[in-house]
Amino acid sequence: MESNKKNTNQEDKKEEAEGLQEGSEIEYVSYGGEHHLPLIMNLVDQELSEPYSIFTYRYFVYLWPQLSFLAFHDGKCVGTVVCKMGEHRNTLRGYIAMLVVLKPYRGRGIATELVTRSIRVMMDSGCEEVTLEAEVTNKGALALYGRLGFIRAKRLFRYYLNGVDAFRLKLLFPRPEAHQHQSIMKLGFGTYELGSDQQNEETSAE
Amino acid sequence: MAAEMTDGIEKFADNTDAQVPSNPSFPSGDQTVWADVSPLLQLASQDLHDGELIHGENFNLFAAMSALEIMDPKMDSGIVSTYCSVDEAIEKGAAPVPLSFNSTIDIQCTIDIMDHLLACEATWHKGHSLAQTVFSCIYLLRPDRISSHALLHSYCMVVRVTCNAVVSAVSDARTNEEEDLFTMTYGLPLKGEGDEKCLSILHAVDETISRQLRASKAPSTKRRVLEDIEPLQTNADLEGGLCKAVLCRLRFRKHFYHVLTCMRRPQGKGLELARKHITSCLSELDSMLKLEEFLKCKSICRTVKDATDDETTASGCQPIGFDFSLNSRLSAPTPPRAIKLLSWRKAVDYFKKLLHDLEVICSYTLDPVLEVVLRFVVAFQKLHPDLVARAYLQLLLVQEGKLYGRDPVFAMICKASLLPDTVKNHDLQKNETIIQLGQLLTNLLRILCTNSAWQRRKLGKILQEWRIVHAQLELAFRKEYGDISNTSNEDVGMNICSYILIWVEEQTYWIATRFLTLGFELELYSPCDYCMVYWYIYVILIKLAERTHIKMMRSNENSRRKGKKKRDSVKDGAKDHQIPPAVSLLQCQICLAEGLVMMLAALRNEYNAFQSVGPFNSEHERFLQHFELLQKACIPDGVSYVSFKETINHARLSTSSTYNCFKDAQRTAKELRTSYSNDPEKLNELRMIEQVAEHNVVALNLVRHLGTLDPSLKVYFEFSHHPHFASAVVKRS
């Protein structure tokens, strides 16, 4: 997906208040099959500018149905998250492709709940990190992911076709075994001292 | 789509009646034989419902995203086309020649085309495809049709030639990694017959119109006396204005093309001439702006839309002869959606900005000292130059593997390491690792010319290469000269080695500093990351200052040693013990960074502010992610999250050390002013440092004295005084 400029984007999700009482009437379900596909497609088509072909949706929901969730309110689908995971440079990495909540339902913590469910499945499946892209102007999404612990790892120049830059956001899960980075270099810069003719041998990295 | 396919297959099956063609164009091979697959497809098609997908293993996300749904106007760019081909567009009168049989309208329409082309060109420079911008012009797609229309012909020709020059500059510089749409030109007639005569043709047209302008100024009685000059058009009242409007447009093109060619002369030899053409370009652009009102109110023709700011022509009229969707059927690099062109005014502004950026490049002194080069490029990037200007800078800096195509890289390394000029021809330059180091250096210069988002990523990656080359150099030197740490040794080769090693370290820390500070410009850090980021900057800056100091002291020591042979100088000795201004400036920044670390840490410890607690990970993971590339390359050694925590754990607002950091920064910056009295850039940096320090002292005092009394006080950090060093602001929440 990184190599493709027509990319999924994350729609604005403002959630200043975690209105949990209100949110309690929302029902969250995991992707359950063909009958959910049109619901997801409608929602994304309505809210996101990028046109996705049916192949893109199928690619995600058929390969990783366990990572897609839908939010219902009184039987109406009001939000969805679509994700994938796979090998990336020898690590298992989760990727959040689309996250949409209908405008009137924003601010109730629905997006946070949807995305949290997906991330949890990724974590339990052995992912080491989760990534996604968001427009630099999408303050709502950036705040949401910031609260979840994502950092802005990179800025992607004119990533979207509308000319807007994107941030690549990343969430690294704690690694129980090795907290210290395995360094590939053993040689360190020497410690030079002024005026002394004697100089230490290079100190090896700790 | 699948349903359509099914129909198609059924028809195919019916028609062929399951007969295998007897004479296929590809004969059967040893292990292959032709077979009819229609029945199989027919069976399969019954299984496949509308919208379903056969998923092969190699069907990845890229393939899924690249798939189009035919006849969906959001994806299928073909169906939004007005015309099927250029020929059809021409047949239907989309691009008439002449543009009108009324010569006044013809000229006005020509001016509109010129303006719209300028808007297209600027939009292309800003990142859209050539096919959807400049080459949406039907006249440009069929240049032979307009050979009878001298004015339009010459203008289209110079636009094409200019586009070609820009494409080749950007392709040669390869600064466009992420802006690859820019150089996609296949299928477009970017080169035409007789392009090399472009300037002389332009000149001839200029001359004719100049004469027409002169004639229009002459009093009517004299007009007949003047040689028989046919006017540009028939309306005498408009003649002078239209001549001027056309002339400034033609001349802008001429000078702009000269700018581009002069700037590509080897070794920066055309820069001075380029500057003259830049001045001319800017004055022609001003003339164009001055005539905007004239063109607006005198446009007798044609459909003038309601005045908006989006008009792509000075007159405000819609240009004829353009169709943005034409190329979507003809060539690949056209994204399906319509693009929004820059307005004519914005295009003029864009070219002004581009010319000013190019002027900065042309005014550069081609200094052989690396430090000056780096400072220049960094300062240049602060102007936020676009792709084209950055490409030309890069082409100037690195030519044929030499700085400016003039100074060998080894000489540059020797200078940067403060080695005397005499060693620049030393055999060491043939050493393989030294050659590699030279490549790293030229690569660094190239990277510094790319857009800052891409630049930061590349800088992060090359840190490791610099680290490795240092290790390799150390090994190589030791192999050749034994213990290189012994600086008293008089062996020249060995001396060079130790100097170069220190410089490599210094340069590596410089790259690391740039990598970290660019993160602020790109808004990669959130306030809860500031504490660790400043801590890392602080650690790196100390190392950088150390290396710079050692390098300078050694060089002084060296020159003193040589000097001593002639005379004993007490003054020189005293000078040696002073800290060089470059090091003091770094110390100012170190103090600021330290102050910010301690202030942020204290706010964390005492007010629980600027902490990030997510449900999935901790600050440790944030640290690992932000500094992954630095940590991987051991820059610096032995630095980890644990050492960060140790530094900040005991920070308190009540301790005076934080306060002192800012005070030290302020004091040192003040003292340094005299050392940099001739360097406005450094003076500006010093002024910014002072301001940040001052504001932070005030904020710190406020929080210290009021903080516990007034819990509604909140501290924010802003970059109002310095791009990297934050100023604290205390506000009631």
Side-chain angles (χ1 to χ4, degrees), chain B residues 59 101 206 262 265 311 336 349 471 532 563 720 725:
Chain B
F59 188 78
F101 289 106
D206 183 319
C262 287
R265 286 201 196 149
E311 292 139 2
D349 288 345
M532 62 169 96
S720 39
F725 291 111

Side-chain angles (χ1 to χ4, degrees), chain B residues 615-628:
Chain B
F616 296 108
N617 62 9
S618 67
E619 190 179 55
H620 191 170
E621 281 72 37
R622 299 180 79 88
F623 185 95
L624 290 177
Q625 288 184 92
H626 274 306
F627 311 119
E628 184 189 10

Side-chain angles (χ1 to χ4, degrees), chain A residues 3-16:
Chain A
S3 54
N4 195 338
K5 278 215 167 185
K6 303 191 295 189
N7 225 311
T8 46
N9 54 14
Q10 310 281 326
E11 195 46 33
D12 205 60
K13 306 150 233 70
K14 277 212 179 92
E15 295 192 314
E16 287 92 22

Side-chain angles (χ1 to χ4, degrees), chain B residues 383-507:
Chain B
L383 305 169
H384 300 291
D386 284 300
L387 173 62
V388 177
R390 283 188 276 109
Y392 276 90
L393 174 61
Q394 201 230 271
L395 290 171
L396 172 68
L397 293 184
V398 187
Q399 296 173 20
E400 292 167 354
K402 289 179 182 169
L403 182 67
Y404 319 121
R406 185 188 72 190
D407 306 335
V409 184
F410 185 66
M412 190 171 31
I413 292 174
C414 289
K415 255 198 175 63
S417 312
L418 296 184
L419 280 159
D421 261 2
T422 46
V423 304
K424 68 180 184 214
N425 292 320
H426 196 272
D427 267 357
L428 200 65
Q429 63 182 312
K430 292 173 194 143
N431 178 299
E432 204 181 306
T433 320
I434 288 284
I435 293 170
Q436 215 182 322
L437 177 65
Q439 283 162 352
L440 282 189
L441 186 57
T442 48
N443 196 23
L444 172 66
L445 290 176
R446 285 211 177 99
I447 290 169
L448 291 171
C449 297
T450 60
N451 73 62
S452 43
W454 175 266
Q455 184 186 143
R456 185 175 191 270
R457 273 144 63 191
K458 291 300 265 184
L459 289 178
K461 281 180 190 154
I462 60 162
L463 276 172
Q464 203 143 323
E465 294 168 21
W466 278 79
R467 199 70 161 101
I468 289 168
V469 95
H470 179 270
Q472 285 172 339
L473 278 173
E474 224 173 15
L475 283 175
F477 291 167
R478 185 163 299 139
K479 223 160 131 193
E480 205 150 330
Y481 300 106
D483 183 11
I484 45 164
S485 60
N486 190 349
T487 49
S488 62
N489 198 312
E490 296 284 330
D491 186 292
V492 184
M494 196 137 113
N495 223 344
I496 300 176
C497 298
S498 68
Y499 274 83
I500 290 179
L501 279 176
I502 291 178
W503 168 72
V504 171
E505 292 182 37
E506 187 197 17
Q507 197 53 53

